[in-house]
């Protein structure tokens, strides 16, 4: 399998540390608010990657953190802890906030048919391990203390900008305008490993004792601690969104590698942004849409999953309601075509099945080209060279990666009597011919049979049982 590695800026053949097993770490959500559909795009990407690896025969050991402390309102070291801020606004404890939004996140991923990573670890459950890494960094001279915090000294780490491609001096220029809240910091680009209960964080509710006094960990150290605890070092694949490249992942690499002298992960993969009105969708920007909003507008979470699959994970995706409607339409049409194909009696041409399987697989192993894989699914369903039975076999196989629950969708469609379906289709043809009065008569006929027909913007329809 060839995967694009942000670290080396090229596609590389995957060679797991341990033959046949892939150690896979994904940065998880910061649970101070609902996940937005941009965040969820990144988790759909990681899910399809896991499924693709399993499809290729690997055993996947997947670990994800839950950030429930230490992520400040800026990804750097200024601002408040997002949890303490949300707690103050809602009169709840930071722990209650984290628990509530963790559950909401787990519901969201379930509805998107995202496989839950086997190991999910909240940052607050590994404070001991985080402190152990910081102690090593202090002992090795990579970290220093001020009266407010313990910092990682970036100038001491040779390859600091390797992941982002940004040299330290470029990073410093970029960081020039950052708010520096600690005058004792040696360098603005140094990042916090541990915050003391001092200065702005004097009244921080969540705190633990450490060799540097009571305090709480900086955001990045949790991922270093959790990934190495469960996967060892180096492990195979690390994922996140592209916004993590410059700061969070760069800092993860620096602290883990400085502490152990070993690389953290071999392949770094980053999902591109979901944009709205050409801007990054972000919780902090208030321009975000949640899965619940989609459902309130009548979409199913799998309509959104389908939309995600239409764009490569390394391409930006601009969110429009019209594109979501088109995705729903395509998804419904696909399910309908599959229902219809079940009745097809033709015999498969000899090579057709194999050549479609090969084509599908070729897309998947080419850096997870799922738009390509989806196109092969359509080709299979429309094929004149395959029997209905073989089509269903392929759909079942391809859906192991796409995760669209296509056979369930087909069962739901198949439960509609064929007489009802054929009236609905006749009505659709009449509508296309703009014979609306006749089409309306058929709508009434469908209602009498207990079905309401709903037209979608792309010219398709769906049937809802009303009695
Ligand atoms: P957070 O909950 O803010 O820690 O983010 C969770 C994940 O969503 C991270 O991997 C981010 O990189 C990713 N992410 C944040 N915003 C977007 C976006 N607009 N589109 C895609 N992924 C995003
Ligand atoms: Zn992380």
């Amino acid at each position: 399998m060839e995967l694009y590695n942000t670290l080396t800026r090229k596609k590389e053949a995957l060679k797991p540390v341990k033959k046949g097993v892939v150690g896979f770490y994904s940065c998880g959500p910061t649970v101070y608010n609902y996940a937005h559909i941009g965040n969820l795009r990144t988790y759909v990407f990681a899910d399809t990657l896991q499924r693709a690896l399993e499809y290729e025969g690997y055993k996947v050991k997947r670990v994800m953190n839950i950030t429930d402390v230490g992520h400040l309102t800026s990804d750097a070291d200024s601002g408040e802890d997002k949890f303490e801020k949300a707690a103050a606004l809602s009169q709840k404890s930071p722990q209650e906030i984290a628990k509530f939004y963790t559950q909401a996140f787990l519901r969201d991923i379930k509805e998107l048919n995202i496989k839950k990573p086997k190991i999910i670890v909240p940052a607050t459950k590994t404070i001991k391990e985080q402190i152990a890494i910081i102690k090593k960094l202090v002992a090795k001279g990579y970290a220093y203390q001020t009266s407010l915090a313990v910092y990682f000294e970036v100038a001491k780490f040779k390859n600091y900008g390797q992941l982002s491609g940004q040299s330290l001096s470029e990073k410093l220029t970029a960081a020039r305008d950052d708010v520096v809240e600690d005058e004792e910091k040696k360098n603005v680009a140094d990042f916090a490993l541990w915050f003391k209960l001092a200065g702005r964080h004097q009244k921080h509710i969540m705190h633990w004792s450490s060799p540097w006094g009571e305090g709480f960990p900086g955001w990045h150290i949790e991922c270093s601690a959790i990934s190495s605890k469960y996967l060892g070092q180096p492990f195979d694949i690390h994922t996140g969104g592209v916004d993590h490249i410059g700061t969070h992942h760069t800092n993860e690499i620096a602290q883990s590698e400085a502490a152990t002298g070993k690389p953290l992960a071999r392949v770094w993969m980053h999902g591109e942004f979901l944009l709205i009105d050409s801007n990054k969708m972000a919780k902090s920007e208030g321009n975000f849409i949640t899965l619940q909003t989609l459902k309130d507008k009548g979409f199913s979470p799998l309509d959104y999953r389908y939309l995600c699959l239409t764009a490569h994970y390394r391409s930006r995706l601009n969110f429009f309601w019209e594109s979501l409607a088109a995705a729903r339409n395509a998804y419904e049409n696909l399910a309908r075509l599959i229902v219809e194909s079940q009745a097809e009696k033709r015999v498969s041409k000899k090579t057709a099945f194999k050549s479609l399987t090969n084509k599908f697989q070729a897309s998947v192993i080419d850096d997870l080209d799922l738009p390509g894989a989806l196109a092969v699914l359509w080709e299979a369903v429309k094929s004149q060279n395959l029997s209905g039975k073989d089509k269903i076999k392929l759909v079942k196989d391809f859906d192991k990666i796409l995760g669209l629950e296509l056979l369930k969708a087909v069962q739901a469609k198949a439960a509609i009597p064929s007489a009802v379906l054929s009236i609905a289709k006749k009505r659709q043809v009449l509508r296309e011919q703009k014979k609306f009065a006749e089409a309306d008569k058929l709508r009434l006929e469908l209602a009498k049979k207990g079905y309401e027909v709903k037209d979608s913007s792309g010219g398709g329809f769906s049937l809802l049982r009303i009695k």
Side-chain angles (χ1 to χ4, degrees):
M1 201 168 181
E2 296 248 312
L3 299 172
Y4 182 84
N5 187 353
T6 310
L7 197 62
T8 55
R9 290 170 187 73
K10 56 178 196 282
K11 285 188 202 172
E12 290 171 1
L14 177 70
K15 288 194 201 86
V17 177
K18 202 167 144 200
K19 198 164 176 268
V21 184
V22 175
F24 178 175
Y25 183 84
S26 303
C27 286
T30 308
V31 285
Y32 72 104
N33 201 337
Y34 292 106
H36 57 63
I37 56 172
N39 302 132
L40 294 170
R41 179 184 183 206
T42 293
Y43 298 110
V44 168
F45 148 57
D47 176 59
T48 50
L49 178 59
Q50 173 177 348
R51 287 166 176 268
L53 291 163
E54 286 167 350
Y55 188 89
E56 292 304 311
Y58 293 108
K59 190 170 178 288
V60 179
K61 185 165 183 199
R62 174 108 188 266
V63 179
M64 187 173 82
N65 68 307
I66 299 272
T67 299
D68 57 353
V69 69
H71 195 166
L72 304 192
T73 45
S74 110
D75 276 358
D77 296 333
S78 58
E80 287 173 74
D81 183 318
K82 293 181 177 187
F83 292 91
E84 305 268 325
K85 188 175 171 188
L89 287 173
S90 65
Q91 321 248 316
K92 293 205 169 82
S93 70
Q95 292 88 345
E96 282 169 326
I97 302 266
K99 189 168 172 210
F100 178 84
Y101 290 111
T102 300
Q103 276 158 5
F105 172 75
L106 294 176
R107 270 198 309 275
D108 282 351
I109 62 169
K110 187 159 186 224
E111 290 190 330
L112 282 165
N113 201 24
I114 291 173
K115 288 186 177 185
K116 190 173 155 195
K118 276 230 173 69
I119 303 169
I120 298 188
V121 188
T124 51
K125 294 278 184 288
T126 54
I127 301 293
K128 200 171 72 195
E129 291 83 350
Q130 296 174 54
I131 290 176
I133 301 177
I134 305 170
K135 269 166 95 174
K136 268 194 198 160
L137 292 170
V138 173
K140 288 186 160 189
Y142 283 103
Y144 63 93
Q145 270 195 79
T146 69
S147 37
L148 297 181
V150 180
Y151 294 103
F152 185 94
E153 191 172 352
V154 295
K156 293 249 168 91
F157 186 70
K158 207 168 69 251
N159 292 332
Y160 186 66
Q162 194 187 353
L163 187 71
S164 65
Q166 204 180 27
S167 70
L168 189 56
S169 62
E170 283 167 336
K171 175 103 186 164
L172 288 182
T173 315
R176 213 171 31 203
D177 298 331
D178 284 3
V179 186
V180 179
E181 293 186 346
D182 187 347
E183 294 300 334
E184 297 169 53
K185 226 172 159 176
K186 291 191 191 172
N187 190 318
V188 276
D190 292 349
F191 60 90
L193 298 162
W194 187 261
F195 288 105
K196 301 180 180 180
L197 288 194
R200 178 197 270 282
H201 304 299
Q202 213 164 28
K203 298 208 171 95
H204 205 272
I205 301 169
M206 289 185 281
H207 54 88
W208 295 265
S209 43
S210 82
W212 317 282
E214 284 290 306
F216 62 97
W219 171 35
H220 322 294
I221 196 75
E222 68 188 66
C223 288
S224 288
I226 295 169
S227 60
S228 64
K229 174 170 179 178
Y230 293 95
L231 298 171
Q233 203 176 316
F235 56 89
D236 298 300
I237 301 179
H238 192 311
T239 65
V242 284
D243 53 337
H244 282 172
I245 298 173
T247 302
H248 182 53
H249 289 171
T250 289
N251 293 350
E252 270 185 46
I253 291 176
Q255 63 205 6
S256 291
E257 299 195 4
T260 61
K262 288 187 277 189
L264 176 57
R266 286 185 162 182
V267 184
W268 288 80
M269 294 177 70
H270 294 96
E272 254 296 352
F273 284 145
L274 182 78
L275 305 179
I276 186 151
D277 300 328
S278 304
N279 293 312
K280 175 193 172 193
M281 186 177 284
K283 289 178 223 177
S284 53
E285 296 298 322
N287 63 358
F288 69 90
I289 296 171
T290 62
L291 201 59
Q292 187 59 46
T293 316
L294 299 195
K295 291 196 286 178
D296 292 345
K297 291 194 184 262
F299 291 98
S300 94
L302 294 182
D303 296 334
Y304 180 62
R305 185 173 173 108
Y306 188 100
L307 177 65
C308 291
L309 299 178
T310 61
H312 190 264
Y313 77 91
R314 285 199 288 128
S315 304
R316 292 178 167 192
L317 175 60
N318 238 312
F319 180 79
F320 297 108
W321 288 104
E322 293 77 10
S323 14
L324 183 60
R328 170 173 61 190
N329 208 29
Y331 183 36
E332 285 179 356
N333 282 335
L334 189 59
R336 191 169 22 251
L337 277 175
I338 299 168
V339 173
E340 288 168 12
S341 73
Q342 282 174 314
E344 290 171 357
K345 292 283 180 276
R346 80 173 79 79
V347 177
S348 291
K349 288 218 174 111
K350 241 187 176 170
T351 52
F353 188 90
K354 191 77 196 131
S355 90
L356 283 161
T357 313
N358 289 346
K359 212 166 154 187
F360 179 81
Q361 199 173 16
S363 295
V364 170
I365 63 170
D366 178 14
D367 192 27
L368 205 65
D369 174 11
L370 296 185
L374 198 57
V376 182
L377 171 67
W378 274 95
E379 194 183 332
V381 170
K382 288 182 170 171
S383 168
Q384 298 299 314
N385 297 327
L386 282 174
S387 67
K389 222 168 142 195
D390 277 347
K391 285 187 183 181
I392 299 295
K393 254 201 217 162
L394 283 181
V395 167
K396 205 171 158 185
D397 186 53
F398 296 174
D399 207 35
K400 286 180 192 156
I401 296 179
L402 303 174
L404 291 168
E405 302 265 41
L406 280 164
L407 290 187
K408 273 195 197 156
V410 165
Q411 273 159 14
K413 287 259 182 299
I416 298 169
S418 58
V420 170
L421 205 56
S422 97
I423 299 171
K425 277 193 192 160
K426 260 190 222 153
R427 179 182 162 276
Q428 194 187 14
V429 173
L430 290 171
R431 278 173 54 81
E432 277 161 16
Q433 297 166 345
K434 306 218 180 310
K435 295 180 179 161
F436 294 112
E438 285 171 67
D440 269 351
K441 276 188 202 149
L442 294 187
R443 171 189 287 282
L444 287 176
E445 207 175 309
L446 287 168
K448 272 191 215 145
K449 292 192 180 296
Y451 288 87
E452 185 189 326
V453 62
K454 281 193 169 178
D455 299 303
S456 44
S457 55
F461 64 85
S462 57
L463 286 162
L464 244 144
R465 202 191 298 272
I466 45 175
K467 332 188 222 197

